[in-house]
Amino acid sequence: MKIGPGDEPHEQISVLNPADGSIIGEVPAGTRQDADNAVLLAREAFSSWSRTDATNRSKILFTSAERVRADQKELAVLLTREQGKPIRESMNEIAGFARVLEYYASISGSLPGDYGKSSSYGHMVVARQPLGVCAAIIPWNMPALIMAWKIGPVLATGNTMVLKPSKTAPLTCIALAGHLSASGLPEDVLKIVTGTGEVIGKSLATHPDIRSLSFTGSVDTGIRVASLAAPTLKKTILELGGSDAMIVCHDADLKAAAKGAVSGRFFNCGQTCTAIKRVFVHEQIAGSFINEIKELTSRFKIGNGLESGVDMGPLHTRRQRDLVHEIVRNTIDSDMGQVLTGGVLSDAGSLNSGNFYMPTILTDVDPDAPVMKEEVFGPVLPVTTFSTLDEAIDHANATRFGLGSSVWTHDARTISRAIEELNAGIIWVNQHLRIPPEVPFGGMKSSGIGRENGRNALLSYLEEKTILINP
Ligand code: NAD
């Protein structure tokens, strides 16, 4: 297979189905030359795309969304086959992709330049122009949605983009890019380059002609990417890991909170940056809350995400599953928590060929245990109790992360304190893990730099020029 003009045949990367280990496709292992070609072509495409009227750009995004919605089922099946999530979640993610494009299509023309007049300086005008070629490096956990968060504001503002998907989940991104192209997106405005982080990711991060880099992934890779990007002074947005806390107060609606905990943790097999990764429950209601989450979890159907009624699929990779099991075992072996349910690879012979892990609840967990401090990217819910709100907020803030946190209560003073005192980019009240495209999304501390989504995302892909006219 060839990618890029005049290239030699490439080595191939196999894409595996996490449910059974079978090979479902192959993509080229791109080279530095492929990344450079893509940037060159995207730079050439910029000159006409940046001059295309915003209304016409919006039309293409609307048409793309419509096409994606029409092909939702097929795209969702592909997503489940390469990523592992239940088909219901894939259907929602594909719909989310379309919704994000529609959102940016609907607001792309709504950022006119500002102007004013001063007796000293004359006319003061702020004009906004697209940056040029932007790059995105994305992970495997929500490939379609994260791709939309990157391409939506970039394309709507007249920039072009080179996007590197994860090497383990590139197929849905390629299929989605095909829909944009079939909807009239001019050639080379969006380039997808497949390959490894060390080759393609590094090439994009260091490329002098890329003006902006939006990275989503782990903290360690984010730090590396930021340092690779620094010498070329590109605008860099980092969306990194999280260890979201859920605080369940004594007056919480117990059933709603238990349902929220279970869906907020086991959604996408626990592999979501804003999943609930730690629960702090008030000691007065801890017993009932724990019984309720155990009961809900016991009804889970685990299996291949394409089977009907499956609530939780496999972990994305075998390595990911082994890491999750290791941290559970270490918690138990060091007496820092107890297994209430789960803690095993799988309980059915038919699941052995996939990367399955049973939904796991740990109780009496030491708030200083690594399972509470580090990001555990898998279906493990550690629970511990608190007696005062001060204590709960202190625990919630006591990690290097600051992505999201939720508080479950109907008390106005508690809500007010949580909003004020929780160090997180997103604070939910009586809900968790909901991310509408209309509002900013991103984290504090090691969870990242910058925000995506919302109208401000458009601004981050525009250069401002101040013009002072003395008539
Ligand atoms: P990862 O950091 O391993 O990889 C992310 C991307 O970076 C991949 O495309 C990878 O190929 C690329 N990459 C790897 N090494 C690179 C290098 N040296 N230079 C340039 N690029 C390189 O992350 P992952 O395992 O794919 O994803 C899981 C992580 O992503 C979790 O930590 C999760 O919390 C985080 N995440 C964050 C958000 C958010 O919006 N904050 C959303 C989803 C996932």
Side-chain angles (χ1 to χ4, degrees):
M1 185 187 230
K2 290 184 166 203
I3 60 170
D7 286 334
E8 293 306 308
H10 283 69
E11 269 181 43
Q12 298 293 302
I13 297 173
S14 298
V15 181
L16 306 181
N17 183 338
D20 57 18
S22 62
I23 296 176
I24 58 161
E26 285 186 330
V27 292
T31 59
R32 170 141 215 146
Q33 172 81 51
D34 296 317
D36 289 349
N37 281 344
V39 176
L40 187 68
L41 293 170
R43 216 177 83 184
E44 285 167 11
F46 175 73
S47 103
S48 110
W49 181 245
S50 58
R51 291 192 177 92
T52 302
D53 195 80
T55 318
N56 290 336
R57 292 198 299 256
S58 291
K59 268 189 204 152
I60 293 170
L61 293 182
F62 275 127
T63 309
S64 307
E66 203 178 311
R67 278 189 60 106
V68 165
R69 285 191 193 280
D71 200 25
Q72 185 183 8
K73 184 72 201 283
E74 202 169 314
L75 288 162
V77 168
L78 180 62
L79 178 54
T80 290
R81 290 183 72 221
E82 72 171 336
Q83 201 277 347
K85 61 185 70 184
I87 188 73
R88 189 181 61 235
E89 293 180 16
S90 291
M91 289 290 279
N92 286 338
E93 186 170 336
I94 298 298
F97 176 94
R99 188 170 167 232
V100 172
L101 292 200
E102 286 159 355
Y103 170 66
Y104 286 109
S106 67
I107 64 166
S108 72
S110 66
L111 283 176
D114 296 330
Y115 61 92
K117 195 170 177 210
S118 137
S119 54
S120 316
Y121 304 107
H123 297 286
M124 300 186 293
V125 179
V126 180
R128 297 196 176 97
Q129 296 181 340
L131 306 174
V133 184
C134 302
I137 299 176
I138 67 170
W140 46 262
N141 65 331
M142 312 274 285
L145 191 62
I146 294 171
M147 175 176 173
W149 291 350
K150 312 282 185 210
I151 67 170
V154 162
L155 301 183
T157 43
N159 294 282
T160 58
M161 170 157 265
V162 180
L163 181 142
K164 189 201 98 57
S166 159
K167 70 173 184 176
T168 55
L171 302 176
T172 312
C173 295
I174 293 170
L176 288 165
H179 280 293
L180 278 123
S181 166
S183 305
L185 189 73
E187 206 176 347
D188 301 328
V189 167
L190 172 63
K191 304 290 290 176
I192 307 281
V193 187
T194 55
T196 63
E198 274 307 320
V199 177
I200 302 301
K202 187 174 169 191
S203 303
L204 297 178
T206 52
H207 202 295
D209 291 340
I210 288 176
R211 299 314 315 139
S212 155
L213 171 66
S214 180
F215 170 86
T216 300
S218 60
V219 178
D220 289 350
T221 313
I223 292 169
R224 176 146 171 69
V225 164
S227 59
L228 287 170
T232 46
L233 294 176
K234 24 179 92 68
K235 282 192 171 189
T236 304
I237 298 172
L238 301 173
E239 297 288 358
L240 309 178
S243 183
D244 288 16
M246 173 193 200
I247 299 176
V248 188
C249 300
H250 65 87
D251 68 322
D253 175 338
L254 203 78
K255 285 210 180 293
K259 223 171 131 195
V262 168
S263 61
R265 174 70 268 203
F266 300 125
F267 168 79
N268 200 13
C269 201
Q271 304 163 117
T272 309
C273 51
T274 46
I276 292 170
K277 301 198 176 106
R278 304 171 288 149
V279 174
F280 301 100
V281 54
H282 194 277
E283 59 194 9
Q284 272 176 23
I285 57 159
S288 323
F289 175 81
I290 288 167
N291 285 342
E292 191 71 28
I293 54 174
K294 185 176 180 198
E295 163 62 20
L296 289 173
T297 307
S298 69
R299 291 191 224 141
F300 262 49
K301 182 175 171 190
I302 317 299
N304 183 325
L306 291 179
E307 286 168 24
S308 74
V310 161
D311 297 294
M312 200 178 87
L315 282 137
H316 184 57
T317 61
R318 183 55 63 108
R319 185 177 124 75
Q320 195 64 30
R321 184 194 72 170
D322 294 344
L323 283 173
V324 166
H325 190 48
E326 190 182 314
I327 198 153
V328 169
R329 289 309 330 153
N330 287 347
T331 309
I332 311 312
D333 294 347
S334 54
D335 284 333
M336 293 184 117
Q338 299 171 18
V339 173
L340 180 70
T341 182
V344 286
L345 303 187
S346 72
D347 66 355
S350 63
L351 300 182
N352 283 342
S353 55
N355 310 323
F356 292 93
Y357 198 76
M358 298 311 287
T360 299
I361 300 173
L362 304 175
T363 53
D364 297 320
V365 183
D366 185 329
D368 291 324
V371 74
M372 285 282 201
K373 293 277 183 192
E374 287 309 317
E375 179 181 45
V376 178
F377 224 50
V380 180
L381 185 63
V383 183
T384 196
T385 58
F386 69 88
S387 53
T388 66
L389 187 60
D390 283 341
E391 198 189 330
I393 290 176
D394 283 351
H395 285 323
N397 286 338
T399 73
R400 63 180 173 143
F401 300 102
L403 193 53
S405 274
S406 62
V407 61
W408 298 67
T409 178
H410 292 282
D411 178 63
R413 274 193 50 140
T414 306
I415 293 172
S416 167
R417 279 199 57 198
I419 293 170
E420 187 75 21
E421 296 174 37
L422 286 171
N423 296 328
I426 312 150
I427 292 164
W428 289 279
V429 179
N430 297 320
Q431 55 180 330
H432 201 112
L433 229 181
R434 306 181 78 191
I435 307 171
E438 293 85 0
V439 285
F441 172 78
M444 296 180 178
K445 303 195 279 182
S446 293
S447 290
I449 298 175
R451 296 287 182 272
E452 294 190 298
N453 290 358
R455 285 169 60 86
N456 283 352
L458 295 177
L459 286 175
S460 52
Y461 292 108
L462 291 167
E463 199 76 82
E464 292 192 327
K465 268 188 185 167
T466 299
I467 301 143
L468 300 177
I469 306 168
N470 190 2

